[in-house]
Amino acid sequence: MKLYFPKRRLIHFLFIFPILLSFVATFLDASKVPIKFDSFHGYTGTVNYLKAVAQAYPNLTELMEIGKSTLGKPIYVLVITNMKTGIALDTLIPLRHSRNEVKNVPPMKRHQGKPGQWICGATHGNEFTGTEVCLYIIDKLLTGYENDSEIRRLLDEKVFYICPIVNPDGVYNSVEAGMFQRSNVMLRDDDGDGRVNEDGPDDLNRDGYITQFRYKDPKGDYVIDDVDSRLMIRLQPGEKTDKQRYSVIQEDLDNDKDGQRGEDPVNGIDLNRNFPEGWFRADGFPGGQGDYPTSAPEVQALAEFFTNYRNILMAQFFHTSGGFTYRPMGSSPDTAVHRKDVAVYDFILGKKYLEIIGEPVPEPWQNPEEMEKFKTALRGRTRNRYALDRGYEFPRGWRVSYNENDDRPYGYGLQADWIYRQYGAYSVTTELWNPLRDLPDFPEIREDAPRIEIQRALLRYQDEKYGGQLFLPWKKFSHPELGEGEIGGWIPIYSGNNAYPGEPLLNVCEKHWQFELFRAKLLPEVVINDVKTKILYLSDNPSSAQVDLKENQAIIKKGQPKERFIVLEIKVIIENKGQLPTHVARGANLPLNREDVVWLLGDRDKIKYLVGSVWQRLGVLEGQMKIPVPPSQIETGQETSQAPRASQPFLPVQPRLRPEIQAVEAQTVKVLSPSSREVTWVIAIEGETPIKVVVTSQKGGTKVKDISF
Amino acid sequence: MIKMKRLNMKKGMNETLLKNIFSGLLILCLLLPLAGQKKYQSSPGGYHGELDFPISWKRYYSYAEWTKIMHDMAKQYSQLADIQSIGKSRMGRDMFLLTISNKSSGKPDDKPAMWVDGAIHGNEVNGITCSLYLAWYLLTRYDYDPYVHDLVNRYTFYILPGFNVDANDSYVTWPNTSNNPRKPYRPEDDDGDGLYDEDQTEDVDGDGELSMMYIEDPKGDFKLSSDGRRFVRVTEPNDPSRRFRFLGPEGFDNDGDGRINEDDIGGPDPNRNFPADWNLQQGNPYPLSEPETRNVYEFWLRHPNILASFHYHNTGRLIMFAPPPRIQTSLTPEQRQQRQQQFQQRLAELKQTNKYAQLFDIEVPAEYQEDLRVQTEIVTMGARILKNYRPTPSGRVGQAQAASYEMFGRYAYLIELWGTPDFDADENGDGRVSDEEFLKWIDIELTGEGWINPHKVRHPDYGEIWIGGTAKKHITRTPPARYMEEEALRNTHFVLYCVSQFPRVEIDEIKITPATSNLFWIDVTVKNERAYPTSSDRSIQLGKAIKDKLIFNCSSNITLIELPAALSAIDLTDRTTFVPIAKGKEVEFRLKGHDSLIYRYLIKIDGEEGWVEVKVISKNGGKDSKRLNIKAG
């Protein structure tokens, strides 16, 4: 076989393509890669878009493959930042005499020296509204860089890590394959017959969707709705009826002829129950899903990414639906969240979120200083002891998923819990989309209205606004195993928990872009504010010397002339001029995290550090924003018996520094204010060497400044 | 090597033939069906195949060498051994695993199996020797040793000599102290300066060993010993000797921050990285985050046939077993003291007849009693086989053996190999080895090998310093190579003992007694004479246990009378002994270690003759069946 390789064409293409791109870019000032939200992108569309923007914006993006799904589909993270700014710390500090038999440390990336924000969607395959919001945010950031000075500044100083699809197989099966799959795919023999995934649902009428099959069945527990005959009403157990009874199942066949339908589908596990925090139950047995925490390749990809990118302080895990946000924790009571973080979450982030979605902000959040008053007012009005301790119950739009009234975990092994408690970022899970609130011109229906009432309204809505395209009318079908019946129902992707494409989806996107933008602007930003140098001593014709000390007589012999000798005092003021601190409340104590650090660097053969060492620790720099921390009666970290075992006990990290070095730092690092430090060195320089100060904060960024004197 | 093998085969055959002729026809007839097993030795004085695969056990092997040995084993003993890579390490090395089992007696993955891993900690490479030795022992002795032959036919051994292969290879190949490198090669910022693994140990004087550095300092705490071979602490404040300050292990200040070796290679402790009782502080960044630990765990998941596991470490000569969960009791000090006394008394009583007897002062819930019992029994034998090893319950936090037990229900052992050479070096019999005794041991038993004398060196960061006054690499944690083989042999015996105690279900007897007219009682006794139960308490609690089954069958003229499951008196005149009546043709149960159960059936016989047959099937304990022919006389 002869291989055809279009060499010449490729070269042409390579030459022409960039020219073509810049040409297109000049004329399409809005976006080099236009995007529309009148349909769902699915896995294929999303990947195509990511590749296109990565190619169109090489200076603003990096497309990373952070892992692969069970079926081998890449999981992508699009890094968005000005690729020309940011400092890789390892390039500034030369190493000497290192062992060279092992090279296990990859070079750092420049964006690792910037404060980061993580945004991801579709951890659950059927919750791809989050994917669309991610794509919307990508578009806003990239187009905004050109024409919005605020976004330009944001991308110069900060970095976004956007992972539109955490669960590629689930999204592909939900959007492209017409199924509706929350979990990932696992190659697992569910029914123990020795075969793997041999009996899943089947597209009986080959219309590209797995919808419903209904058939008359005297034992069925469905009847046709009187109001809208397209809808099926499920009877209560034991409920009697005179109407024709139906059974309703997924479109499905007994593929392996074992008498059961759909008993070994491709479905794997719920990825949002496979993270390490609170995966085990209190008795030591597994509570979460999967064989062990991070057993799913998709979850491990995330875990590995966060392990290597420690610069993220804000994290969003988009899910659907409900139109509200869960802040941690779900597996442990609110006592697992430090009071200071509670304040950031509720009074700062939660307040803004409620404003964006148009819901009232609780009074205590507006006056947290008067929390004792609200606590007193709440006494006797609730049995929720965590609410009594905080001073407020959660509003509908911003809450924890932990069941506070019954003191029961919502689930085990949740991703947002894990990021907050084991990584140290302000993570949230926003449940996007609430049709009752997000559909324009939708009739007023209460949240707790019967399901059928909402279904009727939605069906009417799609009749009017979408020409009935979201629901497949029932059509006769003869099921090879069950006989005559009908196939029809909601098209899975429109069946309720995803925003309807077009205007409703755009509304959801815009609100949550606003929320993420607000959060990004809160990120810390550590800067070198001021450098003062003072020459304490200067000698232009020094020489080497030898001292001969005998009894009380010293004889000094001068030797070879040496280079210029300076004793220099350096005072550097470092400040976090961002809004939030450089770590969550206990973030610096978490393994793999560290305090903010400042280095003074020059040619090490020419510098002697007389006061202050090469690098000094600054502690955690607070931000400019005042965080009103209310007191708590319940001891922080106290767990209830029903809560899963806290896998992270928040033990302080043992400082590796020798005590005498810590003592020195106490003198050379002066706390000017919670957000700023003055660091002093006295160094002796022999000869000429450039000197620079490098401040490096894990989540507050790395900055460098040359010192002249 | 091939030539040698043929020669020995011939020799073995001749010996056996001669013996058979003299032993008479009967024995010959018995042995004939066992073709290919003619090399069996009946006395410990015979040849057991050692030279069929010649290998030196008096040295350490690098990754390239030990994996070549494994490949050679798999090639030479292709009927008994397979080699596979269970995945790659962080630095891309294959983690090679040997599967040893007689392939013609069943698929290795279907047989009850023992897992053995060598060195999860990079520096503990004598575990590689021990597990490699086990493989070699099984393969070379298979044809010569009926004990080994039987175990290799019945069971499977999964042997992973190098676990933390990157660090294992570095430890053997490059200059290192006895303590590093220990962890997998995930970059980590130990000192919190923002750089990763940037300040490691280095062989400053280039002598191929990594010793300790001292610098002359009039205020230092150390001086040279009188023989000039060690640095010793100054005890007299006015001691006029030249003083030294201790700097640390050999190394340079790589990042120029005034500290040495403060950010050595590697991330988390791999033996805190397993899921059971995991916590972030010790097992970070997340459970099974390291390719090495994950590869092993994924293999465990794919191999439910593994019944027990061994994990080699050093040092301290300990037999640690993964303990069952404990009951937290709140005792008053008096109660505790009383309990302690009772415990000591019981142990003393046991020790009167067996000096290796063990008892563990831990309280476990009722549903875990069998696990504690069998572990006590096994490690008691371990103490005997390994001699100066001490059995004790192991730790749990994220440890491999704890995961093996707690997540899978396998009986798991952590062996701490080697320790102080008191058996050779303790001259004054105080049970300890003083510095002087240690040096003398190096001079006499190690004929002078193994010590680094203090010597002057120029250091780029410190100027003139002294290096030395320590033992070389394979002295303290990994034993001098000449000591390895006996320890490997004893450890192999302990592993084999454990495997020999894997459950084996048997039908002991079928008894028939008349009930009335043509009704008869059939009493079937099933037993497991081995120490291990057919499933562990933990596997039952995990819901992973598969019960043993007794299946009743009979000729068409015999009817099994269905009776309710209840206890029946075995002898109507004796109301103290009862047996359970088997309900239906299939009953399920678990046989504990050294356990037997009787099940009773009531049958009706029509006609003159017939038969009943019972079959016992156990996932871990194998199968057995017995038939009873019944005839009217």
Side-chain angles (χ1 to χ4, degrees), chain A residues 90 93-105 604, chain B residues 174-175 195-204 210 250-256 259 261-265 459-461:
Chain A
D90 59 350
I93 303 163
L95 301 180
R96 227 182 235 193
H97 306 301
S98 295
R99 266 185 181 216
N100 50 15
E101 79 252 19
V102 183
K103 295 265 178 279
N104 68 321
V105 186
R604 57 187 276 199
Chain B
W174 301 92
L195 299 174
Y196 290 73
D197 290 356
E198 83 287 358
D199 207 330
Q200 305 176 22
T201 57
E202 287 90 12
D203 178 15
V204 171
L210 229 133
E250 278 182 67
F252 301 108
D253 178 10
N254 305 103
D255 57 353
R259 291 170 274 247
N261 311 334
E262 79 282 5
D263 198 346
D264 202 358
I265 193 164
H459 191 286
D461 302 314

Side-chain angles (χ1 to χ4, degrees), chain B residues 126 314-317 388-389 416-423 433 438 441 475-480 487:
Chain B
N126 43 338
N314 71 35
T315 63
R317 297 198 186 93
N388 50 354
Y389 277 57
E416 294 280 13
L417 300 162
W418 190 238
T420 50
D422 51 349
F423 51 89
V433 178
F438 189 78
W441 172 67
I475 298 284
T476 51
R477 293 193 67 142
T478 46
E487 196 171 33

Side-chain angles (χ1 to χ4, degrees), chain A residues 89-90 93-99 101-106 108 276-277 279-280 283-286 291-297 300 303-304 307-308 310 418 421-423 589-592 594-595 597 599 601 604 609 613-615 617 645 647-654 656-658 661 665 696 698, chain B residues 90-91 170 174-177 180-181 183-203 210 252-260 262 265-266 275-282 284-290 294 297-298 301 368 396 406-407 460-461 538 541-542 544:
Chain A
L89 182 66
D90 59 350
I93 303 163
L95 301 180
R96 227 182 235 193
H97 306 301
S98 295
R99 266 185 181 216
E101 79 252 19
V102 183
K103 295 265 178 279
N104 68 321
V105 186
M108 291 180 189
E277 171 64 29
W279 189 85
F280 282 95
D283 60 8
F285 286 93
D291 288 316
Y292 53 90
T294 74
S295 63
Q300 199 208 356
E304 193 59 31
T307 301
N308 295 325
R310 308 301 296 181
W418 172 69
R421 249 198 136 187
Q422 297 196 16
Y423 175 86
N589 288 346
L590 292 169
L592 308 190
R594 60 170 169 87
E595 295 175 18
V597 160
W599 289 73
L601 289 161
R604 57 187 276 199
Y609 295 81
S613 51
V614 181
W615 60 270
R617 291 172 308 156
R645 189 187 307 201
S647 36
Q648 169 39 33
F650 274 114
L651 300 172
V653 169
Q654 291 302 315
R656 292 291 189 97
L657 293 177
R658 293 198 297 271
I661 292 167
E665 275 178 5
T696 173
Q698 240 177 348
Chain B
R90 181 166 300 272
M91 305 306 289
S170 169
W174 301 92
N176 281 299
T177 71
N180 76 330
K183 300 159 169 187
Y185 281 5
R186 178 188 287 280
E188 201 173 57
D189 179 9
D190 297 334
D191 56 341
D193 65 351
L195 299 174
Y196 290 73
D197 290 356
E198 83 287 358
D199 207 330
Q200 305 176 22
T201 57
E202 287 90 12
D203 178 15
L210 229 133
F252 301 108
D253 178 10
N254 305 103
D255 57 353
D257 69 348
R259 291 170 274 247
I260 44 162
E262 79 282 5
I265 193 164
D277 202 33
W278 177 88
N279 75 53
L280 179 65
Q281 205 67 39
Q282 290 161 284
N284 65 73
Y286 55 90
L288 303 174
S289 59
E290 303 316 295
R294 188 167 286 239
Y297 201 86
E298 288 284 342
L301 283 169
Y368 286 101
R396 297 177 57 221
E406 292 180 24
M407 303 292 286
D461 302 314
R538 182 67 184 179
Q541 295 305 315
L542 286 165
K544 284 179 191 269

